[in-house]
């Protein structure tokens, strides 16, 4: 059983690394002319159609309360999370957004402690704190400049809290429904709740469909839809169920490491000694936080 649990830890790390690279893919699609809302909608529609092929026998939850919880998953892990995160980038710096959003494990631990009765011991709290400061060092990457913008920073904080609640809700419903069913509901409600956005911003709907013939565009959309959404969301639900909210969500601290490495390879961004120091702190913190 110990070796099986280790495999889920490894799986969680791989998922977070993949999610870390999605920022680069999304950036390339934005440069190609697509808006973040359109990118999110396409990736979730494709992911929903894919998961529908393996999860279609049971369409509704057993109770209305559970169906509402599934809608909450679609909002906190889909539409509201992505809208808040992407809109935050319009009002505040990418550094501020990354710092706040990647603080999610800290708030997930607090929520689990307050609402689910999952209390961490002193070593685990220390590990969470060390990993948090490591994440700060990685995101800043030697550039200690923070420009506070209350509106943008609040949007980033909303995204952070959304993912914390998403992880907590996933664990709650994970004991009653299969991972495939839960993930399908996330995609469905994610798409349904993003559609009103286009009523207020119809100009974002692409009219030149020729853009999707570009290899860079459809290649990145395929990666975001098939790998980062369909595959990773499905497997993340399994990790939450097997490891618990706190242990699985702590791996989100690895996210900026993957982002910076991918950005350095694709976008030629510079890596400094602070990146190495922060990465070491993150790994130390994760080791401590997973100690029993």
């Amino acid at each position: 059983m110990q070796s099986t649990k280790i495999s889920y830890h490894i799986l969680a790390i791989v998922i977070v690394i993949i999610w870390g690279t999605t920022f680069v893919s999304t950036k390339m699609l934005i440069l190609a002319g697509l808006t973040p809302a359109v990118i999110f909608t396409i990736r979730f529609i494709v992911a929903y159609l894919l998961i529908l092929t393996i999860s279609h026998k049971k369409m509704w939850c057993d109770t209305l309360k559970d169906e509402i919880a599934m809608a909450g998953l679609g909002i906190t892990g889909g539409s509201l999370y992505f809208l808040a995160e992407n809109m935050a980038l319009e009002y505040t710096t990418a550094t501020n957004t990354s710092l706040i959003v990647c603080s999610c494990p800290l708030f997930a631990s607090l929520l689990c402690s307050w609402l689910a009765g999952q209390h961490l011991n002193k070593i685990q709290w220390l590990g969470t704190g060390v990993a948090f400061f490591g994440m700060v060092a990685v995101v800043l990457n030697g550039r200690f400049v923070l420009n506070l913008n209350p509106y943008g920073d609040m949007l980033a904080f909303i995204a952070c809290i959304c993912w914390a609640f998403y992880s907590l809700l996933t664990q709650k419903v994970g004991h009653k429904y299969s991972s495939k069913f839960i993930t399908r509901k996330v995609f469905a409600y994610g798409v349904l709740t993003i559609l009103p956005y286009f009523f207020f911003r119809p100009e974002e709907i692409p009219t030149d469909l020729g853009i999707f013939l570009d290899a860079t565009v459809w290649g990145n959309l395929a990666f975001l839809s098939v790998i980062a959404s369909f595959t990773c969301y499905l497997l993340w639900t399994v990790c939450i169920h097997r490891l618990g909210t706190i242990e699985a969500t702590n791996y989100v601290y690895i996210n900026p490491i993957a982002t910076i490495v991918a950005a350095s390879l694709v976008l030629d961004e510079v890596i400094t000694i602070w990146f190495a120091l922060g990465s070491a702190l993150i790994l130390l913190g994760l080791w401590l936080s997973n100690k029993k």
Side-chain angles (χ1 to χ4, degrees), residues 103-262:
S103 302
C104 165
L106 183 60
F107 290 99
S109 298
L110 292 173
L111 285 175
C112 287
S113 179
W114 293 338
L115 302 179
Q118 299 179 27
H119 301 295
L120 277 69
N121 59 42
K122 293 180 180 179
I123 296 297
Q124 289 173 314
W125 277 117
L126 174 63
T128 299
V130 170
F132 171 77
F133 284 110
M135 179 274 299
V136 172
V138 168
V139 171
L140 292 178
N141 201 24
R143 299 183 297 272
F144 298 98
V145 179
L146 291 177
N147 299 310
L148 298 180
N149 182 302
Y151 185 65
D153 293 343
M154 180 57 67
L155 286 169
F157 182 71
I158 290 173
C160 169
I161 296 300
C162 276
W163 193 259
F165 271 105
Y166 172 76
S167 300
L168 187 60
L169 279 173
T170 299
Q171 184 175 0
K172 281 185 171 295
V173 299
H175 299 288
K176 300 179 64 176
Y177 301 96
S178 69
S179 299
K180 292 183 291 186
F181 180 82
I182 294 170
T183 308
R184 194 191 77 222
K185 286 292 186 179
V186 171
F187 294 148
Y189 282 113
V191 172
L192 288 175
T193 52
I194 195 67
L195 293 180
Y197 173 84
F198 293 106
F199 178 79
F200 297 99
R201 302 287 292 271
E203 68 277 6
E204 291 193 15
I205 301 175
T207 55
D208 181 15
L209 299 182
I211 189 175
F212 297 105
L213 298 178
D214 183 85
T216 300
V217 172
W218 63 256
N220 280 288
L221 282 175
F223 168 71
L224 292 173
S225 304
V226 180
I227 305 299
S229 295
F230 169 63
T231 305
C232 288
Y233 267 79
L234 180 60
L235 295 178
W236 185 254
T237 303
V238 176
C239 289
I240 289 285
H241 178 64
R242 298 292 183 179
L243 300 177
T245 302
I246 296 174
E247 286 191 47
T249 308
N250 268 343
Y251 286 113
V252 172
Y253 284 133
I254 298 176
N255 193 297
I257 299 178
T259 301
I260 292 178
V261 170

Side-chain angles (χ1 to χ4, degrees), residues 29 40 45 66 94 100 102 113 117 121 126 143 152 214 238 258 287:
L29 288 172
F40 163 77
I45 288 176
D66 290 344
I100 297 171
C102 290
S113 179
N121 59 42
L126 174 63
R143 299 183 297 272
D214 183 85
V238 176
W287 178 73

